[in-house]
Amino acid sequence: MTDFTPASRPHENIDGEPLLDSFLREAIPEIKLALGDLIDRDNSRAIPDKYVKMLPLTTLVVTLRPDAAQAIADMAADLEEDLTDSVMRHGSLYDRDYKVRLKEAGSRGAPLFRVSTQPAGQPDPAPIVPAPPPPAPPPPPRAPDPEPTMAAPRHDHAPPSPLPSVPAWVAPGPPPTVDPDATRVEGIPSAPAPAPKPRSNFPAGRYELRVEDEDGTERERLPIQGETVSVGRHTDDPALRSDIQLTGAPNVSRRQLALVWEERDGKPGFLVYNLGLNGIHVGDREVSGANTGKGEMKLDGLDGHSIWLAPGDALRIGGHGPVVRILEKGADADAEVPEIADDPDKTQFG
């Protein structure tokens, strides 16, 4: 087994930054470089071309320190796909196929991460899942009941006081209510009626999402049914299932975009939030992903991960697409497909 072990990092972050944020920003690029070095070493010995095609799919295992594994547990599947996409592109230099699986280390003293090659024939490691919540603390002990006091002795010659009687004509009933038709006294304002909820001006059934390949070939069109919808890869997980599910899009997160209807200067359009792992590209502008994970879709505080999109504008997800556009039903896309920038994960020579 070939291992790569970086310098161990402290468990506690002295700057107060969440471990997930620092891990995604600093450790992920290091992991991709380590995987690239491992692939280069794996192919350092020349193999005849006729044998290369016979080699099976090779699994690369990234073992994470327990606290780091739990920090990314909710997005472990998406992170595995992103790393697999990276090593597949790197392995294409040698006509080799690779995939990546994440594994949680069994000791808190393990390094932040370690990459290794899984021996052929061994099963994949168990997926990383969130640890169960700690048990609830036991209830506080109940204070003992106070000792009963002795009642005063009763004398036979002093009869008990009778309870006050209630007249028969007094019948119990509900508390008095205010008659809405009663005459109001002038000078005392009545409570204002609630303001009617404003009606949305979203044109239901007017727009649809066109999905294209890198060369501009239309793949599918999906209707946009509401003024706020989510877009992502097809999944059976109800906690991450999007309103609009794209087929054949492995580079897209299961919840990648949120489309919110918003007119600007009288022009129709949508405010697009990037909720996934990969960045999105509109023209020369790149919008980073917020990595929101599972649970209820909340858009508060995500203005830095959003961009306004007019109908017909092209939006590319990740480095290799797909490309999506919002069009009126039956309309054709006439905008050019955005140019794909160089892959930052591609191995550089020289």
Side-chain angles (χ1 to χ4, degrees):
M1 181 181 295
T2 304
D3 292 342
F4 175 89
T5 306
S8 179
R9 298 188 181 189
H11 292 265
E12 300 297 336
N13 193 326
I14 59 176
D15 295 332
E17 182 182 25
L19 177 59
L20 175 60
D21 294 345
S22 60
F23 184 87
L24 293 175
R25 186 184 67 253
E26 300 177 7
I28 293 300
E30 294 181 12
I31 291 175
K32 290 184 177 180
L33 290 175
L35 291 170
D37 291 341
L38 185 58
I39 293 173
D40 292 338
R41 291 197 300 272
D42 190 34
N43 294 275
S44 59
R45 182 170 59 89
I47 303 176
D49 293 340
K50 62 179 180 180
Y51 294 116
V52 170
K53 297 180 180 179
M54 300 173 59
L55 294 174
L57 176 68
T58 303
T59 301
L60 305 180
V61 179
V62 180
T63 305
L64 302 176
R65 198 172 64 196
D67 58 337
Q70 288 302 309
I72 58 95
D74 289 335
M75 63 174 62
D78 290 334
L79 186 55
E80 280 185 347
E81 293 185 4
D82 179 65
L83 294 175
T84 296
D85 182 61
S86 179
V87 299
M88 285 291 288
R89 294 196 300 269
H90 195 110
S92 65
L93 299 174
Y94 305 101
D95 292 328
R96 296 281 303 277
D97 292 332
Y98 293 89
K99 68 176 181 179
V100 176
R101 289 295 178 263
L102 301 179
K103 177 182 177 182
E104 182 172 347
S107 171
R108 282 180 51 86
L112 183 63
F113 70 86
R114 176 187 292 116
V115 299
S116 60
T117 303
Q118 178 173 286
Q122 284 193 1
D124 288 346
I128 296 176
V129 296
R142 181 179 176 183
D145 295 335
E147 296 184 359
T149 57
M150 298 297 294
R154 178 181 174 183
H155 301 284
D156 294 337
H157 61 276
S161 302
L163 296 175
S165 60
V166 179
W169 54 268
V170 178
T177 58
V178 178
D179 182 6
D181 297 327
T183 303
R184 303 299 196 272
V185 179
E186 294 184 3
I188 301 179
S190 58
K197 184 178 180 180
R199 297 181 59 185
S200 171
N201 60 348
F202 172 71
R206 178 178 175 182
Y207 293 100
E208 57 187 0
L209 192 71
R210 170 184 163 120
V211 186
E212 307 171 0
D213 292 326
E214 294 182 51
D215 58 0
T217 303
E218 180 176 335
R219 182 188 303 173
E220 58 183 341
R221 291 200 183 200
L222 302 165
I224 301 176
Q225 303 288 6
E227 59 181 334
T228 300
V229 296
S230 55
V231 180
R233 185 182 76 245
H234 179 79
T235 179
D236 295 328
D237 187 351
L240 281 171
R241 190 177 302 155
S242 297
D243 301 320
I244 300 177
Q245 299 189 67
L246 310 183
T247 58
N251 297 332
V252 177
S253 298
R254 287 169 289 182
R255 185 185 290 164
Q256 182 73 54
L257 306 175
L259 310 181
V260 180
W261 168 258
E262 181 177 300
E263 292 183 334
R264 292 191 175 181
D265 299 329
K267 297 179 181 180
F270 288 81
L271 189 61
V272 181
Y273 292 87
N274 187 7
L275 310 178
L277 186 63
N278 294 323
I280 60 176
H281 307 265
V282 178
D284 296 332
R285 182 176 175 185
E286 178 179 359
V287 180
S288 62
N291 299 313
T292 56
K294 295 184 178 181
E296 181 183 358
M297 185 175 69
K298 297 180 179 180
L299 305 180
D300 295 338
L302 299 183
D303 293 341
H305 301 279
S306 66
I307 188 171
W308 189 78
L309 203 68
D313 291 344
L315 181 149
R316 188 181 75 246
I317 302 174
H320 294 274
V323 174
V324 297
R325 305 173 194 265
I326 300 172
L327 299 174
E328 294 191 25
K329 282 192 175 181
D332 293 329
D334 54 2
E336 297 181 357
V337 177
E339 181 180 354
I340 297 177
D342 291 339
D343 181 9
D345 298 325
K346 183 177 180 181
T347 303
Q348 305 294 328
F349 296 94

